[in-house]
Amino acid sequence: YDMANGQSVWEHDMKAPVTSSPIMVGGFVYLTDDEGVTHIFEASREYKAIGSGKLGEKVATTPAMVAGHIYMRGEKTLYCIATKDAKK
């Protein structure tokens, strides 16, 4: 949505229900659907997909980003995914 006037800027079907909140890191938005697929796209006025990653189990929580690590809780597993910028 355009913050100045509240009008929709773009819409995209993620193909699965989404109950988590989107998070923004840098210029990218991370949005995890209930099937465990995290969709990464640019924070821009057009939908521009960057990539996606699948955990292999359902997810109903918002990922947390800390010091280059992504923490995600699936139905049965707690995941910690290190990014290329992760501090060791």
Side-chain angles (χ1 to χ4, degrees):
Y1 288 92
D2 187 315
M3 291 181 64
N5 60 26
Q7 298 212 346
S8 176
V9 175
W10 58 260
E11 199 172 295
H12 182 78
D13 183 1
M14 294 296 172
K15 309 290 187 215
V18 176
T19 54
S20 70
S21 298
I23 57 174
M24 193 159 110
V25 178
F28 302 109
V29 177
Y30 291 70
L31 181 62
T32 303
D33 67 32
D34 293 0
E35 297 300 316
V37 177
T38 300
H39 306 270
I40 306 164
F41 50 93
E42 286 187 15
S44 65
R45 296 194 65 81
E46 296 178 8
Y47 179 79
K48 296 179 187 174
I50 301 300
S52 64
K54 185 174 183 175
L55 288 179
E57 67 179 285
K58 294 185 182 225
V59 174
T61 61
T62 301
M65 304 273 194
V66 180
H69 293 80
I70 304 168
Y71 295 91
M72 300 179 76
R73 183 176 52 83
E75 275 186 320
K76 300 176 184 177
T77 310
L78 175 62
Y79 295 91
C80 176
I81 304 164
T83 66
K84 67 179 183 174
D85 298 325
K87 295 181 173 101
K88 296 179 182 178

